[in-house]
Amino acid sequence: MKIDWKNLPFGYMPTDYNVRCYYRGGQWGELEITSSEYIPLHMAATSLHYGQEAFEGMKAYMGQDRKIRIFRWQDNAGRMANSAIGIKMAVVPDELFHKAIITVVNLNKKYIPPYGTGAALYLRPLLIGTGAEVGVKPASEYLFMIFVTPVGPYFKEGFKPMNMLICRSFDRAAPMGTGHIKVGGNYAASLVSLEKGHEQGYASVIYLDAREKKYIDECGPANFFGIKNNTYITPDSSSILPSITNKSLMTLAGDIGIKVEKRPVPVDELASFDEVGACGTAAVISPIGKIFDPDTNITYEYCKDGNPGPVSVNLYNKLTGIQYGDEPDPYGWIEIVD
Ligand code: PLP
Ligand code: COI
């Protein structure tokens, strides 16, 4: 097996094992280990018909000390529990979530990208309704599983500025809908607009609040942040996913003396930011170079020298420093996998 670690895309590559656990008769069973990439599924499973499906995205990082680190797994477990509650699925207990992560990472150690390649092992926890129903109601049986795959940066530009398009003709999530949880339907709702953006040469689209189309929601599969006046500003909205990366960046910004504001961010405020970016587990920090608004014909420009701005660089180094073990972990965000 020869993997080109430095040029890994954000894509699927088979690994040796995945782990699974079934919920039947009102309780979770034993964690199972398998090499099969397939799931035997009843044709009337609620995940297929009514979208009872939630997932998570996490990474395992190889340090220079060759220790394997997992970042804030409790937050992912908690978010998956919220997703399950939000669409009436069985909740995966934290202990099961934890055991599944540790087991699947240990079984696939040889796929963890080496330190210094900028890549990581992506973990994809998945929870689906497997019970058969035809009426619109929650299943009584569920499958929780985790597969892993080595990945490079989500946006091919990596830590280089990329361009985004403001999306006014599609909404990914409604104010009282499911945007705040990580369920498959939100991503299905984003596919047409994302493809339209890609066809026009943009890395992603920026969704606006569905009610007024006045405020920024998020950047495809990542949260948005802007920097000005020594302040880190990120949208407060009921229809965006609470990003664990964004939450961490808010803390790290405070540590380096940058103020933090979480509040509605009007589109026209884009003109006043010094730096803007997208953040998430897959995106890490992806600096934005240009944002085009097709309705006003305005292009907002940043990173005019072609490089990410100083605050983005600082935050990127702090965050990835903790994740790869180069920096101390003052908040207990890291668990070492033995
Ligand atoms: N927003 C959306 C829609 C996402 O899919 C993700 C990825 O999980 C994020 C934001 C970033 O969240 P996190 O930092 O927890 O990965
Ligand atoms: C992540 O950042 O982990 C995500 O889940 C984004 C994904 C939809 C590619």
Side-chain angles (χ1 to χ4, degrees), residues 49-315:
H49 298 261
Y50 302 129
Q52 269 202 307
E53 187 276 347
F55 70 99
E56 274 301 322
M58 315 169 60
K59 282 176 175 169
Y61 307 85
M62 176 67 75
Q64 195 159 20
D65 53 9
R66 299 198 53 79
K67 288 190 176 140
I68 303 162
R69 290 173 172 77
I70 304 281
F71 186 69
R72 303 191 81 164
W73 69 265
Q74 295 90 338
D75 290 72
N76 292 92
R79 193 168 64 188
M80 183 168 249
N82 284 339
S83 299
I85 293 164
I87 56 168
K88 289 280 178 193
M89 298 197 289
V91 169
V92 176
D94 278 6
E95 312 79 69
L96 171 58
F97 193 94
H98 183 243
K99 187 175 178 189
I101 308 172
I102 302 297
T103 309
V104 76
V105 169
N106 269 319
L107 287 167
N108 293 291
K109 270 189 179 149
K110 67 174 191 241
Y111 296 99
I112 306 180
Y115 175 81
T117 56
L121 186 72
Y122 190 68
L123 278 61
R124 177 50 68 84
L126 182 68
L127 175 63
I128 61 172
T130 49
E133 297 292 347
V134 179
V136 181
K137 59 176 160 175
S140 52
E141 296 187 353
Y142 293 86
L143 164 65
F144 165 58
M145 64 175 296
I146 307 186
F147 71 79
V148 298
T149 194
V151 295
Y154 187 79
F155 294 110
K156 67 175 180 354
E157 292 82 352
F159 193 50
K160 292 265 161 50
M162 36 118 192
N163 299 336
M164 294 221 177
L165 178 68
I166 297 214
C167 175
R168 290 178 190 274
S169 39
F170 293 88
D171 295 318
R172 133 182 220 286
M176 305 287 277
T178 54
H180 63 295
I181 53 177
K182 203 162 168 59
V183 298
N186 298 337
Y187 297 82
S190 72
L191 290 175
V192 171
S193 49
L194 282 178
E195 281 304 296
K196 280 188 190 292
H198 294 156
E199 281 160 17
Q200 293 174 54
Y202 295 95
S204 183
V205 300
I206 298 185
Y207 296 102
L208 304 184
D209 78 287
R211 192 179 277 127
E212 290 186 77
K213 301 276 178 191
K214 192 170 160 198
Y215 301 99
I216 294 176
D217 252 4
E218 55 186 330
C219 304
N223 276 185
F224 171 90
F225 69 87
I227 312 279
K228 67 176 182 187
N229 306 330
N230 197 39
T231 310
Y232 178 100
I233 300 163
T234 193
D236 189 14
S237 158
S238 63
S239 51
I240 67 180
L241 193 74
S243 155
I244 297 157
T245 312
N246 196 7
K247 186 164 111 175
S248 309
L249 293 176
M250 287 189 256
T251 302
L252 297 174
D255 289 352
I256 54 175
I258 293 174
K259 287 185 273 234
V260 173
E261 289 177 13
K262 190 174 174 197
R263 55 160 171 85
V265 179
V267 176
D268 50 22
E269 193 174 351
L270 285 174
S272 63
F273 288 121
D274 300 325
E275 300 175 37
V276 296
C279 64
T281 300
V284 195
I285 290 183
S286 298
I288 301 176
K290 274 188 198 154
I291 300 176
F292 179 59
D293 186 337
D295 293 83
T296 57
N297 219 17
I298 296 176
T299 301
Y300 302 94
E301 284 194 63
Y302 314 90
C303 312
K304 290 196 182 129
D305 63 355
N307 294 312
V311 177
S312 301
V313 171
N314 205 340
L315 289 173

